[in-house]
Amino acid sequence: MIKKYEFGSCVITDCVIEKIEKESDSVEFGFVEKKEPFCWTYKMDEKTKIFGLGESVRGINKRGFVYESWCSDVPGQHEGTKSMYGAHNFLVFKEETSDCSFGIFFDTGSKVIFDLGFEKTNVVNVSVLDTGVNVYIITPEKNRGNESVLVNITKQFRRIIGQSYIPPFWGFGFQQSRWGYKTEIDVKEVLQKHLDNKLPLDSICLDIDYMENYKDFSIDEKKFRNLGELSEYLLKFGVRLVPIIDAGVKLEDGYSVYEEGREKNYFCKKTDEKTDYVAGVWPGRSCFPDFLREDVREWFGSKYQKLTDNGIEGFWNDMNEPAMFYSDESLAEALEQFENFKGQNLDIQSFFEFTKVSGSTFNQMKDYMRFCNKVKFANGEEKYIRHDKIHNLFGGKMTQAAGEGLKKIFPDRRCLLYSRASCIGSHRYGGIWTGDNNARWNHLEQEIKMLPGLNMCGFLYSGADIGGFSEFASEDLMIRWMAFGAFTPLMRNHAAWDAREKELYKFERIDIFRSILQLRYSLLPYIYSEFVKAAVNGTMFIRPLGFDYEEDERAMEIQDQLMVGEGIMVAPVYKQNENGRMIYFPEPMTKVVWKNGAYKCSKIKKGDVYVSVPLDSVVFFVKNKRAVPLFESVDNSSSVKTDKYTFVGNGKAYDLYEDDGFTRDVHLEGRLRILRR
């Protein structure tokens, strides 16, 4: 059961696509303290658990902290980080009595503050700043059959926000990326090293290095002489290029994208609603397309054809929170303040003031308040509104622009697309990676605990930069992260220009990385099949144990073990120098130990068990009465064959979804093949 409540003047966000009439009575859970600006309060019990919030730090259970829904460029996140790159305002409150559990979604583009028992232990306060909000409350259906309450509530939510994006089959293969592949020679070297070392590979990602002076939809032909020929060459080996696109358009006379955007009045305006807003990003002074406008999205989406004409079938969108190094105004203010420090004898206080100024222009709220977007309201009105009031929609609308543009270019063929910034609704057009993480063990743990919340909010195609984007990854961290990455839909090794070069062939124990990739490609048809089923059925590809074992109190407490598809449980090792860990088994399972293309199975009893997980092996588990098919490992996804397989687990059959890996006409009927022992 879903009920909708409207408070204030609501911007049309397009997050919810199912029409639901608004209720006239008061909300059935909690209490609305204020309607404008909106504030909702809820009193929890001692055992209340809170799931959701998509891309956010800390545990799977979100209780006990303050989170802020505000798409932010936040490199090197930590336990105290309140905002990340996405705005995913969906929560499920799991109460001790199942019928008292409910989900709640705050549909708005504004900043939302979630105090989930931080100020007062048992009190939730949710505040929406600036604009109005539609609140959706979801209660368990009475005819849910064997579905857990958590699954049922999440499925209802997923139904009203629309089907999750499904990438092409090759998008589930291994991706190698680095900010620093500066020439086509660098790219060919990556391919050759993978071939020489028998490391499976499906795509190589290009960061901003391939562009001419960091201009969107441009190619530096001195470094990449002929991108089309390079794409064609790579494709002979089943490998594709995946270039980056940024949100800022370089302000440069003679640059066609800028000239068109300026001429057609497509860029975000200053608050005078007339002057193009200018801020500094990679290319320097830049303008931002107003992605909240349909005509602008159509225009920007059409620009991807410059690259698709060169054989490109996949993209990653970046810097679309939007990230800004400075605005003209904030830079001028900072430089003026620096003048005041000249000739001073800086003591501790004045030095602290000085250091504040040096970083004062980076992604500042005052700059987000200096420009506006044209938006539509629920009452039919269309007008400019200050950007900070609808900030959380911007990055997601860029993903929509790209997704819709690529659909026009390839009407019958799925393309790969993932983004950094996001909001609920953009999950229909592309996936996400979880931003600029670090080469730290706790960032591996962070990914493990973040992915279930993303799945709840519809972002099934997601993953982190394996080994960390920044800093220096140790070899054992890379091995453990790759072992977990073998089960995540997006499996990409990416790093910054000044981080350790961590292509797999640059480490000593290449054989271990080869073994992990062999497992990934042996599981690829299972991963794809389970992913498509989850997208079509509105379920979660990756989920916490408590979603499958709701009546098991121990399972509800577990935050570092995950279910992957219908049959697999993973319990990653995420601490250095640990060669095993305690694992809770809510039922008897089959333990699978994979090493060098071979595996061994054994039985595990229900309960808490210490399991050895050697660094050179991947260990995972199969649920009781489930069968997981393993196929022959191959060099890339184009070589996958499903005629021969073996089963792990004690189940007797598995329903394998299959299609051509590209079709946009995705449906389960007629495409499920029963595999039997």
Side-chain angles (χ1 to χ4, degrees):
M1 175 71 71
I2 302 175
K3 292 185 177 181
K4 173 185 176 181
Y5 305 88
E6 185 178 309
F7 301 94
S9 181
C10 296
V11 169
I12 296 176
T13 66
D14 293 322
C15 296
V16 174
I17 61 172
E18 184 174 301
K19 184 172 177 56
I20 300 172
E21 296 298 329
K22 63 183 179 181
E23 302 286 329
S24 57
D25 54 348
S26 58
V27 295
E28 56 189 304
F29 292 92
F31 174 70
V32 177
E33 288 191 350
K34 284 196 300 183
K35 294 185 177 181
E36 290 188 73
F38 178 84
C39 182
W40 175 78
T41 298
Y42 177 69
K43 181 72 181 293
M44 296 185 287
D45 293 330
E46 292 296 327
K47 292 189 176 181
T48 303
K49 293 178 175 59
I50 308 174
F51 300 98
L53 278 191
E55 191 178 28
S56 54
V57 299
R58 300 205 172 203
I60 292 173
N61 182 357
K62 313 310 291 188
R63 182 169 179 163
F65 190 55
V66 176
Y67 300 89
E68 294 181 358
S69 182
W70 179 259
C71 295
S72 304
D73 179 7
V74 279
Q77 317 88 34
H78 51 80
E79 170 176 302
T81 299
K82 293 182 178 180
S83 303
M84 286 193 60
Y85 303 92
H88 310 137
N89 307 330
F90 174 58
L91 295 168
V92 175
F93 289 83
K94 175 64 174 67
E95 300 293 359
E96 195 169 8
T97 302
S98 292
D99 289 342
C100 295
S101 300
F102 66 98
I104 187 165
F105 173 50
F106 301 91
D107 186 5
T108 177
S110 293
K111 186 175 190 176
V112 187
I113 299 174
F114 297 89
D115 181 337
L116 305 180
F118 179 77
E119 190 70 28
K120 294 183 180 179
T121 305
N122 292 330
V123 177
V124 171
N125 275 298
V126 179
S127 302
V128 177
L129 307 187
D130 300 317
T131 59
V133 58
N134 286 315
V135 178
Y136 295 83
I137 291 183
I138 307 170
T139 52
E141 294 173 314
K142 293 187 175 169
N143 59 344
R144 61 181 181 271
N146 294 325
E147 280 182 355
S148 71
V149 165
L150 292 170
V151 169
N152 182 261
I153 291 172
T154 302
K155 278 182 69 174
Q156 290 187 71
F157 174 64
R158 294 275 300 285
R159 186 191 76 232
I160 67 171
I161 62 173
Q163 183 174 299
S164 297
Y165 161 78
I166 302 174
F169 184 63
W170 65 266
F172 294 87
F174 181 65
Q175 302 181 35
Q176 178 56 51
S177 180
R178 184 175 179 84
W179 175 11
Y181 296 152
K182 295 184 177 181
T183 67
E184 64 180 65
I185 294 174
D186 294 338
V187 172
K188 287 182 177 179
E189 181 185 2
V190 172
L191 170 65
Q192 193 60 50
K193 291 291 188 180
H194 271 261
L195 294 173
D196 293 345
N197 290 283
K198 294 181 170 56
L199 294 166
L201 179 67
D202 259 275
S203 54
I204 299 172
C205 299
L206 298 178
D207 211 308
I208 55 177
D209 311 279
Y210 81 93
M211 300 178 183
E212 180 187 8
N213 297 323
Y214 310 124
K215 293 184 289 190
D216 277 344
F217 311 112
S218 71
I219 302 166
D220 188 333
E221 294 182 359
K222 294 179 181 178
K223 299 177 181 178
F224 291 86
R225 180 178 49 83
N226 190 314
L227 199 65
E229 287 184 4
L230 178 61
S231 298
E232 187 177 352
Y233 173 78
L234 294 176
L235 198 55
K236 292 177 182 178
F237 302 92
V239 176
R240 289 172 168 82
L241 282 176
V242 181
I244 195 171
I245 299 293
D246 289 322
V249 173
K250 182 175 175 64
L251 194 163
E252 179 180 275
D253 292 341
Y255 168 37
S256 62
V257 180
Y258 168 70
E259 295 278 14
E260 282 182 38
R262 181 183 63 181
E263 180 184 342
K264 296 182 179 181
N265 216 28
Y266 282 164
F267 295 130
C268 295
K269 302 299 178 188
K270 292 183 179 181
T271 50
D272 64 7
E273 302 180 7
K274 297 177 182 178
T275 312
D276 288 343
Y277 177 72
V278 177
V281 281
W282 298 123
R285 298 177 73 239
S286 303
C287 294
F288 297 92
D290 189 353
F291 293 117
L292 277 77
R293 291 169 49 185
E294 184 178 355
D295 56 343
V296 176
R297 291 197 299 273
E298 183 175 1
W299 167 73
F300 194 83
S302 70
K303 295 301 173 186
Y304 285 79
Q305 188 157 1
K306 169 70 181 292
L307 293 165
T308 60
D309 284 347
N310 282 275
I312 304 299
E313 299 177 54
F315 298 89
W316 50 303
N317 289 342
D318 194 14
M319 302 292 284
N320 52 345
E321 291 73 32
M324 297 183 292
F325 301 154
Y326 60 85
S327 68
D328 286 354
E329 294 84 356
S330 63
L331 184 60
E333 291 169 359
L335 292 174
E336 184 178 343
Q337 290 180 62
F338 274 126
E339 289 293 322
N340 297 329
F341 293 100
K342 278 187 176 180
Q344 282 196 35
N345 177 16
L346 301 181
D347 61 15
I348 186 170
Q349 296 300 329
S350 53
F351 179 73
F352 284 168
E353 291 301 316
F354 171 79
T355 56
K356 284 181 186 178
V357 175
S358 63
S360 65
T361 67
F362 184 69
N363 296 328
Q364 290 300 301
M365 177 63 79
K366 62 184 179 182
D367 281 338
Y368 291 122
M369 297 171 69
R370 284 179 164 133
F371 68 103
C372 55
N373 301 84
K374 185 178 280 189
V375 299
K376 292 181 180 179
F377 286 81
N379 61 7
E381 185 181 11
E382 184 175 8
K383 65 178 181 180
Y384 280 102
I385 186 171
R386 210 172 65 197
H387 173 83
D388 59 295
K389 298 176 181 292
I390 45 80
H391 169 80
N392 287 339
L393 302 176
F394 187 86
K397 291 298 182 181
M398 180 185 180
T399 303
Q400 182 178 349
E404 291 174 339
L406 291 170
K407 188 174 183 179
K408 287 184 178 179
I409 297 167
F410 297 110
D412 301 317
R413 190 177 182 88
R414 275 177 280 146
C415 294
L416 181 64
L417 179 63
Y418 51 94
S419 171
R420 192 169 75 174
S422 62
C423 63
I424 290 174
S426 64
H427 72 286
R428 301 192 293 270
Y429 304 98
I432 63 172
W433 90 101
T434 52
D436 296 348
N437 58 357
N438 288 21
R440 301 179 186 179
W441 290 88
N442 67 330
H443 278 202
L444 168 55
E445 179 183 4
Q446 174 178 288
E447 184 193 6
I448 294 166
K449 295 178 178 180
M450 191 183 299
L451 287 178
L454 286 170
N455 272 244
M456 289 177 69
C457 294
F459 292 94
L460 303 186
Y461 190 72
S462 53
D465 289 342
I466 291 174
F469 172 72
S470 298
E471 301 179 338
F472 297 86
S474 63
E475 185 171 76
D476 56 344
L477 174 60
M478 277 298 297
I479 290 171
R480 292 301 193 193
W481 210 320
M482 282 286 292
F484 176 58
F487 299 93
T488 63
L490 171 56
M491 187 185 190
R492 182 177 78 151
N493 177 15
H494 180 52
W497 66 275
D498 58 348
R500 177 177 184 170
E501 294 184 347
K502 56 186 179 70
E503 288 79 5
L504 303 181
Y505 49 81
K506 294 192 175 181
F507 290 96
E508 181 181 359
R509 288 172 281 191
I510 300 175
D511 58 322
I512 298 180
F513 293 115
R514 184 185 304 114
S515 174
I516 294 170
L517 287 177
Q518 287 171 341
L519 172 61
R520 170 66 170 205
Y521 281 79
S522 293
L523 281 170
L524 211 58
Y526 168 84
I527 290 172
Y528 183 67
S529 175
E530 290 301 297
F531 184 99
V532 172
K533 291 176 193 174
V536 172
N537 294 326
T539 55
M540 297 166 64
F541 174 76
I542 291 178
R543 58 200 180 277
L545 266 62
F547 279 59
D548 284 30
Y549 304 97
E550 193 171 50
E551 302 305 317
D552 186 328
E553 289 189 14
R554 280 282 289 120
M556 289 295 298
E557 295 289 337
I558 298 294
Q559 302 200 63
D560 58 358
Q561 299 173 212
L562 302 175
M563 308 306 302
V564 180
E566 72 168 30
I568 289 177
M569 183 181 82
V570 295
V573 173
Y574 53 88
K575 294 183 179 179
Q576 192 165 30
N577 299 321
E578 291 194 356
N579 295 308
R581 54 164 291 181
M582 291 298 300
I583 300 174
Y584 176 67
F585 294 89
E587 64 177 354
M589 293 190 182
T590 300
K591 180 177 79 169
V592 184
V593 180
W594 175 279
K595 180 180 177 181
N596 294 333
Y599 62 88
K600 294 181 180 179
C601 295
S602 58
K603 296 179 180 179
I604 298 272
K605 294 182 178 180
K606 178 180 178 178
D608 290 284
V609 180
Y610 178 83
V611 176
S612 174
V613 186
L615 192 62
D616 63 1
S617 303
V618 180
V619 180
F620 64 98
F621 311 92
V622 180
K623 290 177 69 174
N624 192 30
K625 299 181 180 179
R626 291 286 192 275
V628 172
L630 295 176
F631 300 86
E632 181 184 357
S633 184
V634 291
D635 293 335
N636 56 62
S637 64
S638 63
S639 303
V640 167
K641 296 179 180 178
T642 60
D643 53 338
K644 294 181 181 179
Y645 58 89
T646 58
F647 275 143
V648 290
N650 60 10
K652 296 180 179 180
Y654 174 75
D655 291 343
L656 180 71
Y657 171 84
E658 293 179 293
D659 61 24
D660 65 3
F662 294 99
T663 179
R664 290 186 181 272
D665 180 24
V666 176
H667 54 84
L668 301 183
E669 186 178 352
R671 292 187 179 162
L672 293 174
R673 178 162 63 97
I674 302 177
L675 308 183
R676 303 185 189 278
R677 285 194 181 277

